[in-house]
Amino acid sequence: MVTFMKTKDELPVCPVATTVSLIGSKWKLLILRNLMVRPWRFNELRRDLEGISQKVLTDSLRSMEDDGIVIRTVYAEVPPRVEYSLSELGESMKPILDAMEAWGTAYKKGLEEK
């Protein structure tokens, strides 16, 4: 499998900006959230991510695959089956999503207490 991960020169100098450039869109974060649980097929993701267009999902998955975050596996079946899963690099982003989940939970709890 060939990956087209960005080179160091193509990334921002700031580490936060680097992370944002890789997963900073709403849809990429939600795709990551889903893929943290299990591999998903394209149409499953599209149904689960309410409001995402086919083009945005396709572009996001391709970009994440090019960046080495997502693995696209094609099964030689009729009809062909394609699954998306996280690479080791993608799995390494779990603490980021865990922190976002914890913060979001605390924020919502704070709103309920007001």
Side-chain angles (χ1 to χ4, degrees):
M1 174 181 196
V2 178
T3 56
F4 302 98
M5 293 173 60
K6 291 178 173 66
T7 65
K8 186 176 178 182
D9 292 336
E10 294 174 309
L11 294 171
V13 174
C14 171
V16 173
T18 296
T19 305
V20 169
S21 76
L22 295 172
I23 61 165
S25 79
K26 165 189 171 180
W27 295 117
K28 285 183 179 181
L29 285 167
L30 294 177
I31 291 166
L32 263 177
R33 175 204 63 192
N34 283 22
L35 295 179
M36 286 286 169
V37 178
R38 64 174 173 85
W40 288 67
R41 294 176 72 172
F42 183 88
N43 284 329
E44 285 182 305
L45 282 169
R46 198 175 75 195
R47 279 191 299 272
D48 192 72
L49 300 172
E50 192 173 316
I52 194 169
S53 70
Q54 182 167 337
K55 180 185 181 343
V56 169
L57 180 56
T58 298
D59 291 349
S60 297
L61 287 167
R62 281 187 185 150
S63 171
M64 294 168 78
E65 184 181 8
D66 288 347
D67 291 334
I69 297 167
V70 168
I71 297 170
R72 180 179 185 264
T73 305
V74 181
Y75 295 92
E77 300 174 354
V78 178
R81 177 170 53 110
V82 177
E83 282 186 349
Y84 295 90
S85 59
L86 291 179
S87 66
E88 194 172 320
L89 179 63
E91 292 282 351
S92 75
M93 294 179 168
K94 186 173 182 356
I96 297 168
L97 268 70
D98 288 346
M100 292 176 78
E101 179 184 20
W103 189 91
T105 299
Y107 178 78
K108 288 171 78 174
K109 185 177 179 187
L111 289 177
E112 291 169 2
E113 293 173 356
K114 288 185 176 183

